[in-house]
Amino acid sequence: MREPDFLSRRRWLSTAAASLGAAALPAFAQRRSTRIVVPFAPGGGNDVLARQMAYGLNDSLGYGMIVENKAGAGGNLGTEMVVRAPADGSIFLLGHTGTVSINPSLYPGLKFNASTDLQPVAMFASSALLLVVPAASPARNVAQLAELLRRRSGELNYASSGSGTGGHLTGEMFAHALGAKAIHVPYKGTAPSLTDLVGGNVDFSFGVIPAAMALVKAGKLRALAVTGAKRQPQLPDVPTVAESGVPALADFESSLTYGVLAPKGTTQETVATLGRDILKVAASGSFQSRLEVEGAVPLLGDSRQYAARIRQESSKWAAVIKASGATA
């Protein structure tokens, strides 16, 4: 039995609309599963930012991007997975300073180098860390902590969420700048590191802003400074480390850069198209509101600018690791 003409027209219009929608997407985004790999467990800052970016690409631009977590070895497992993947536009990496610029120097036995074996697509955010001490600490500002660290060099310890993290290397850079030694105590995540800090089992920490600030507001920790070049919009009354008045820390700056990278050999068309769309999402008010919740700020740059940033950060952290003797 022949279907009525209006049903035929409706089916034709529906098919045509779907075809036009698919055609509007770049070729690599028309495949069934385009993945962005997060080399850490679900729930952390990297994971949240990746999911917000994927949501923006999917919701406003029609991508079919999914997020896949591949945790392990300080982010190296997931990173290597993308390094070894086909350069066909089906897989990308949520990169940040730790996995891209720190790990190649911190893990000398790696069979790959994320800073050179991946193709930068775009960078979209940066985050500083928060220097915190227990509420009962005698150090009420950076200068007092610096004096305490110098006087008791090799005795004070600091917590981080794990070896090779931004908190670990920032602590090494801080102590080295002061000509002192501090004992690094790595934990399996942010929560246990800050819990021990609250309990007074460690002396200070460079923690991620949202988690550390919640304990500051609860009166359990004291915030001394942020590690970025500028004060954080979320914490306008908290000075930077460089503002402490300690000459040795006048140029101190530590921040983490977030971006997206692709396997080496990915076509320039794919890189340019995805990079443009990432920056479009990152410039939106809704995405930037989410950044603020995560203690981050916008840092927008295309493939070329992200590559320059990676080279700069790789050189900086390699020097810190060599000078401090830091290991994973």
Side-chain angles (χ1 to χ4, degrees):
M1 181 178 179
R2 183 170 175 267
E3 64 181 3
D5 287 345
F6 77 91
L7 285 178
S8 297
R9 278 197 302 275
R10 179 178 294 176
R11 181 169 290 131
W12 182 87
L13 287 170
S14 176
T15 302
S19 299
L20 286 171
L25 285 173
F28 72 89
Q30 293 180 27
R31 62 182 69 249
R32 285 187 177 178
S33 71
T34 303
R35 295 173 291 161
I36 181 166
V37 174
V38 177
F40 298 102
N46 289 269
D47 183 60
V48 170
L49 293 182
R51 292 181 187 281
Q52 287 298 312
M53 178 55 68
Y55 174 80
L57 291 170
N58 296 343
D59 185 58
S60 60
L61 299 172
Y63 279 66
M65 187 79 74
I66 61 174
V67 174
E68 178 179 339
N69 297 89
K70 181 72 172 178
N76 289 322
L77 288 184
T79 302
E80 184 173 16
M81 173 181 168
V82 179
V83 168
R84 308 293 184 207
D88 59 0
S90 67
I91 189 168
F92 302 92
L93 177 76
L94 189 284
H96 82 116
T97 301
T99 50
V100 178
S101 297
I102 291 176
N103 284 2
S105 294
L106 194 66
Y107 295 85
L110 288 179
K111 299 288 194 292
F112 66 96
N113 186 328
S115 66
T116 56
D117 293 345
L118 290 169
Q119 169 63 50
V121 176
M123 61 181 176
F124 59 83
S126 174
S127 66
L129 298 171
L130 188 62
L131 173 54
V132 285
V133 296
S137 171
R140 307 197 69 82
N141 53 50
V142 174
Q144 290 180 0
L145 178 61
E147 175 58 29
L148 193 63
L149 192 57
R150 282 169 168 159
R151 185 158 36 88
R152 298 177 54 194
S153 181
E155 295 180 22
L156 269 60
N157 51 32
Y158 71 98
S160 82
S161 58
S163 293
T165 60
H168 170 199
L169 272 295
T170 300
E172 294 288 350
M173 184 166 66
F174 183 74
H176 182 73
L178 295 170
K181 291 285 186 183
I183 301 168
H184 174 228
V185 184
Y187 290 79
K188 293 182 178 180
T190 296
S193 71
L194 293 179
T195 297
D196 258 16
L197 183 65
V198 168
N201 296 318
V202 283
D203 299 299
F204 63 98
S205 180
F206 291 91
V208 293
I209 288 176
M213 200 59 209
L215 293 168
V216 171
K217 289 180 177 178
K220 296 179 179 180
L221 293 177
R222 181 183 302 130
L224 302 187
V226 292
T227 64
K230 299 178 180 178
R231 296 192 183 196
Q232 289 287 117
Q234 308 93 325
L235 305 167
D237 297 328
V238 179
T240 67
V241 174
E243 292 176 315
S244 64
V246 178
L249 300 173
D251 297 321
F252 190 94
E253 187 271 332
S254 174
S255 57
L256 303 176
T257 301
Y258 297 88
V260 174
L261 302 102
K264 205 79 168 180
T266 300
T267 66
Q268 286 304 306
E269 180 186 5
T270 295
V271 170
T273 301
L274 180 59
R276 179 199 66 213
D277 290 343
I278 286 171
L279 296 181
K280 188 181 296 183
V281 171
S284 68
S286 59
F287 187 83
Q288 293 192 6
S289 294
R290 186 68 224 185
L291 286 183
E292 186 172 334
V293 172
E294 294 302 315
V297 295
L299 180 65
L300 310 187
D302 61 17
S303 177
R304 179 182 56 81
Q305 292 166 319
Y306 189 19
R309 178 86 173 186
I310 289 171
R311 287 194 297 270
Q312 176 192 18
E313 292 188 328
S314 296
S315 176
K316 171 183 177 175
W317 290 111
V320 169
I321 291 166
K322 182 178 180 179
S324 67
T327 66

